[in-house]
Structures are given as structure tokens and as C-alpha cells.
Amino acid sequence: MSGDGPKGDIGVVGLAVMGENLVLNIESRGYTVAVHNRTVSKVDKFVGGRGKGKKLIGCKTPKEMVDALKTPRKIMLMVKAGQVVDGFINKFVPLLEPGDILIDGGNSNFNDTNRRFADLEEKKILFMGCGVSGGEEGALKGPSIMPGGSEQAWEEVKEIFQAIAAQVTEGETKVPCCDFVGIGGAGHYVKMVHNGIEYGDMQLICEAYSLLKHVLKLDNQQMHKIFDEYNKGDLDSFLIEITRDILNKKDGESDDSKGYVLDAIMDKAGQKGTGKWTGISALNQGMPVTLIAEAVFARCLSAQKEERVKASKILNGPEPGTFSGDKDSLIEDIKHALYASKIVSYAQGFVLIRAASDDYKWEINLGSCALMWRGGCIIRSKFLGNIKQAFDTNPELRNLMLDDFFKEAIEAAQAGWRRVCALAITAGIPCPCFTSALSYYDGYRTARLPANLLQAQRDYFGAHQYQRIDDKDNGWYHTNWTGRGGSTASSTYSK
């Protein structure tokens, strides 16, 4: 279908919601886009429908797309992660020339991206793994884009990507929420952590909602107004904003026209895997990303709906009674718990990115990550500007909580945060992310943890050795605890 007409500036494979909207975004910036889809009928439907009259080139085969593009060819795959990506790579590689560019814009696992990057580098094909966040609206109007992979390829696609990305104000200028993250799988890794933080943010908001609903017995309209107020202050963010709107949405399809959509939704949460990957990577890196892990497990527990219904009739525990305290004070405390826990979530996420960057030699700029997340993406929020400032001021900052702004913010919120966690526990309201965030904060600020006993236990039963506080050389020791053991020690794992 490409014929002898104008050549495309970039090709996009995959015309599902994200792919279609990204194509329309690119075309709206003045570029000609070649499009292809595995189900070929979608190509004609899109070009003759939403794309009618636009600078699009419909391609029914990979070869037609390759022939329709300017060199070096730039082909972006917006397809399901996993084998589908490998399948399209295998179709395109024999048709491409050295220096051509393949871009994976899906939610691929960074390990797959590392593998593909190395494999295609041997074939002289430039490969990029790009995280794209913002959902349907972001793809159309301006997403956050986290490109990684080949630096040479980045120079070729930089103009297009930064033109279509969300724009935020930095000083007196507009800057795109898109910059090169690092080689190999760095872009997809940063997107993975972004999604992990997204899991945490969403669960924290759900816990605040649960407390407002079950302890204070507030209705949807009252909670709608509270989240509207929350969104005017430090918690100003996309997820708080949509929570406010969700609480206000009436269910016109229900028998009771006065009901709310939210109240008709089953309490079983789904997930696509990126939060789980974040937790797995955190374990591999030896980084305590506890809040994100709890958010993933909260979704897993919610999915056990039938078991929970049965257990609710068997297992006993406290039930939220009538709250006798000051309601306005508790609403303020919940806001503080939400804000402080959110700081912990981002702190853990950036600690994980730094650890992976060091291990994989990616040299990721953490301030740049915060800038990329300020607009277009799901976790965009007011305080990402403060995060960028923290890392710009001190690029070697080990934990966001040590930055003056965030240290003071947690100190201001801490009393309310503790009251909320205590109330949740005594009232029997599950708040795994509020409480795990507080435990992480308390653990991080504790100079001497009870891990000395844990090490003694490990040495007792497995001769795993321990270090002594009176040995400045940090040597390793083993004690014959029972008098029956020998002096042979086992190896230790300290990551």
C-alpha cells in the first residue's frame, strides 16, 4: 500500500488503544506515520476511520512497512509483551539494514529488553526499550516516555519522542517528559518501578478510602469533597484527582438511579505483572521495597474473594464501632498518613532504581526520572518537582527521606500517621501499606536493629558467622554455641 508516495518518518506496529492514540499524537506533530497490525483488517479500519485524511501509510505486511519508511528506519512495536515482541522482531530483522531502529514501546520485562538489545547489537540493528505511561489519554495528548537502549538510536528518535511527550514547566520554559534513561533495559526498568510506585499509590488511596468509609461512616459525596480538598494541597496528583471523580460518578445503569458506580464494583483487583516484577527485582537487589510489595500482595488477597467471604463468617476480630473522636482531626490525620506513606513509596522506588543502575552500569539520572514522571504518566503529582530538586541538589542522595524537604514533611505528618496506623489496627481495618511504610521509616531511622539476634540464630543452626561491633576490620566470626560443634563456618549472603 505504500506505493511511490511520501516516505514515513516512523512506523508503528500494533493498533490497539495505545498504538492508535500514539499514532494520532505523532501525526498531529507533523510527522508521516506508517502503520501495521497483525490483524490486517484493523489497518484499513483505522486509516479509513480515526486516521482518515491524516498523513498515514497503511501497511499490510512488515515488508510494506520497511519499504514505506525513510532511512534509518524507525519502527515502534506497541504490542503485547513477551513472545509477541520477539515474533515481530524476527519478522522485521531480515528486512532491515544495519543502523535501522526497532523500538519496543510495550510493558516488557527489562531482562527481555537486555537480551534483545544484546542480540540485535550483534546484528547491527539498533534497539530501544521505551516505557510509555499515561494510558489512552496520555498516548493521544502527551505521555511520559522513558527511552532506553541504544544511544545512537536515541539521537535519531529524540526529536519525535520529545515532540509527542507531555510538557511541563521548568523555570520559565516548557520541557518534555522524555529523556534518555540509559543503555540496555534501563528504560523498561524505570517504567517497571514507575508501575510499582503506581501500585503503592493506588493501594494507599484505597486504605484512606477504607478508613473514611468504615471508621467515619462517610458517604461517597462526603468522601468526594474530602479528596477534592486533598487534591488542592500537598497530595495534588492524577490519582487523587480521579479518585475524587470516581466517588462522584452515579450508576445510571443500575436499578437504583441514585446509586454510585463504585459501590457496584466487585472488590477483586487485577494486575498485569509489573508490580510483581518490581518486588522480584527488589529481592534480587536486596532492597527493602516493602510498600510496593505489600501493594502487590493486597491485590492478591483481594482476588481471593470467595475465601474471604467464607472466612468473614468464621474468623473473629474487632469491628469498627462508632467513632467518638473529632472527625475533622481524623480526616486531617488520614491526609498526613497518605502523604508520609507516599514519600516512603517514592523513596523506596528511587533507592531501587539507583541500586539497579549501579549493578547494570546504566548511569540513570534520578532527577531526570522525576522530571519524566511530572507530566503525562499515571503517578504524576505535585511533589515530583520536589523530588527532582532533591536529586539536582544532591545527585548522590541515598534516600529521599534524608533530603531536608522530605525530612521536614514526614516530621510534620508523623504524629497523624502514627495515630491512623494505631486506629486501623485496633479497629480491624487492613492498612498494609500505611503500616509497612511506617515500619520502614522506623527501621531506617533505627541505629541498632534486633538483627544481631537473627545473626546469632543463623550462626547457631547453620554456622553462617557474624560480625562484631568491637572489630573495626569487620571480620567474620563463628561461635561454638553448644560446645558440641566444630570451628568450621559456612558461607554468608549479605545482599
Side-chain angles (χ1 to χ4, degrees):
M1 293 178 68
S2 57
D4 297 319
K7 294 280 189 178
D9 298 294
I10 188 170
V12 175
V13 177
L15 295 176
V17 173
M18 287 292 286
E20 278 196 6
N21 284 305
L22 203 65
V23 167
L24 295 174
N25 185 352
I26 296 170
E27 194 275 341
S28 73
R29 309 296 173 177
Y31 299 101
T32 298
V33 188
V35 297
H36 172 63
N37 194 80
R38 185 164 54 175
T39 304
V40 178
S41 59
K42 282 191 174 184
V43 176
D44 291 336
K45 182 179 178 181
F46 176 60
V47 173
R50 293 182 75 196
K52 189 173 183 179
K54 301 185 183 298
K55 299 183 294 297
L56 304 181
I57 305 170
C59 304
K60 293 190 174 180
T61 66
K63 186 176 188 312
E64 280 190 16
M65 175 168 278
V66 169
D67 291 341
L69 293 171
K70 299 174 184 175
T71 56
R73 300 171 183 87
K74 308 169 190 70
I75 298 171
M76 188 167 190
L77 306 176
M78 296 298 296
V79 298
K80 186 178 179 180
Q83 293 182 348
V84 178
V85 176
D86 287 318
F88 272 111
I89 289 173
N90 292 336
K91 287 180 183 179
F92 276 105
V93 165
L95 306 172
L96 298 176
E97 300 173 351
D100 285 343
I101 301 164
L102 282 172
I103 307 157
D104 177 10
N107 267 335
S108 287
N109 187 296
F110 79 97
N111 290 303
D112 288 336
T113 306
N114 277 337
R115 168 179 58 79
R116 292 164 183 152
F117 173 77
D119 181 54
L120 291 174
E121 194 171 39
E122 291 183 1
K123 297 178 172 66
K124 309 298 183 186
I125 303 299
L126 307 181
F127 184 70
M128 299 189 72
C130 293
V132 180
S133 178
E136 180 179 355
E137 184 176 354
L140 181 63
K141 298 181 179 179
S144 168
I145 306 176
M146 295 150 262
S150 164
E151 286 187 88
Q152 183 181 341
W154 166 242
E155 292 304 319
E156 294 290 342
V157 303
K158 179 178 180 179
E159 179 186 288
I160 296 174
F161 279 12
Q162 292 194 333
I164 67 172
Q167 308 286 315
V168 294
T169 301
E170 185 79 357
E172 296 183 357
T173 60
K174 290 280 189 180
V175 293
C177 295
C178 172
D179 202 359
F180 187 68
V181 176
I183 63 170
H188 274 142
Y189 193 91
V190 168
K191 176 57 166 42
M192 177 193 76
V193 176
H194 162 284
N195 284 23
I197 292 172
E198 179 184 309
Y199 274 54
D201 270 4
M202 294 170 75
Q203 176 63 24
L204 288 169
I205 292 169
C206 288
E207 292 174 15
Y209 158 75
S210 183
L211 289 165
L212 293 169
K213 183 179 178 70
H214 297 296
V215 175
L216 290 179
K217 317 293 192 211
L218 301 182
D219 61 30
N220 287 31
Q221 269 303 303
Q222 290 171 313
M223 289 186 284
H224 162 75
K225 292 176 182 177
I226 288 168
F227 277 95
D228 185 50
E229 287 301 313
Y230 284 176
N231 200 51
K232 294 175 183 177
D234 293 329
L235 287 169
D236 177 6
S237 67
F238 173 72
L239 286 170
I240 293 288
E241 179 184 322
I242 68 169
T243 300
R244 173 200 68 194
D245 295 344
I246 288 168
L247 285 160
N248 196 43
K249 183 69 173 176
K250 290 288 185 70
D251 188 0
E253 302 299 322
S254 68
D255 292 334
D256 178 8
S257 61
K258 295 181 180 180
Y260 290 86
V261 176
L262 179 60
D263 298 331
I265 297 175
M266 180 74 75
D267 56 321
K268 291 173 69 172
Q271 54 183 310
K272 287 191 172 180
T274 45
K276 178 181 73 175
W277 295 346
T278 307
I280 292 170
S281 180
L283 288 169
N284 289 335
Q285 293 292 336
M287 291 293 114
V289 182
T290 54
L291 192 150
I292 293 170
E294 287 289 359
V296 175
F297 290 136
R299 293 196 187 193
C300 296
L301 185 59
S302 79
Q304 298 176 354
K305 173 68 174 178
E306 293 75 16
E307 285 188 52
R308 289 189 290 109
V309 170
K310 291 177 182 177
S312 70
K313 300 172 183 176
I314 300 169
L315 302 178
N316 297 315
E319 296 289 340
T322 301
F323 182 72
S324 58
D326 183 84
K327 287 190 174 183
D328 289 339
S329 294
L330 180 53
I331 290 169
E332 189 71 8
D333 283 352
I334 291 171
K335 180 182 77 173
H336 287 151
L338 193 50
Y339 187 49
S341 299
K342 184 182 175 79
I343 292 171
V344 169
S345 180
Y346 283 71
Q348 292 182 353
F350 278 99
V351 164
L352 182 58
I353 291 173
R354 182 186 291 280
S357 179
D358 290 345
D359 270 9
Y360 292 101
K361 306 294 188 293
W362 285 333
E363 298 182 355
I364 296 174
N365 183 315
L366 299 183
S368 180
C369 288
L371 175 63
M372 283 187 280
W373 293 348
R374 274 186 59 195
C377 70
I378 303 302
I379 65 170
R380 60 184 182 268
S381 60
K382 177 181 177 181
F383 86 159
L384 277 161
N386 302 113
I387 294 178
K388 182 180 186 302
Q389 180 61 48
F391 285 117
D392 284 350
T393 301
N394 179 11
E396 302 305 316
L397 182 67
R398 303 307 301 178
N399 191 303
L400 270 178
M401 297 189 301
L402 301 177
D403 174 75
D404 287 344
F405 175 86
F406 292 105
K407 173 181 175 291
E408 292 169 7
I410 286 182
E411 287 176 354
Q414 187 175 157
W417 187 16
R418 292 185 185 281
R419 285 192 292 267
V420 165
C421 289
L423 174 64
I425 291 168
T426 56
I429 303 291
C431 289
C433 284
F434 277 166
T435 52
S436 75
L438 183 57
S439 290
Y440 174 83
Y441 173 74
D442 283 337
Y444 192 68
R445 70 181 186 85
T446 299
R448 186 163 171 82
L449 292 167
N452 55 322
L453 175 57
L454 192 149
Q455 277 301 98
Q457 292 168 338
R458 293 180 72 242
D459 190 56
Y460 189 109
F461 65 69
H464 292 297
Q465 308 177 78
Y466 55 85
Q467 293 171 291
R468 296 179 59 92
I469 59 176
D470 54 5
D471 182 355
K472 294 180 180 179
D473 295 327
N474 291 320
W476 289 92
Y477 296 82
H478 168 58
T479 291
N480 184 351
W481 297 92
T482 64
R484 299 186 298 273
S487 59
T488 303
S490 179
S491 60
T492 188
Y493 170 76
S494 58
K495 193 167 187 178

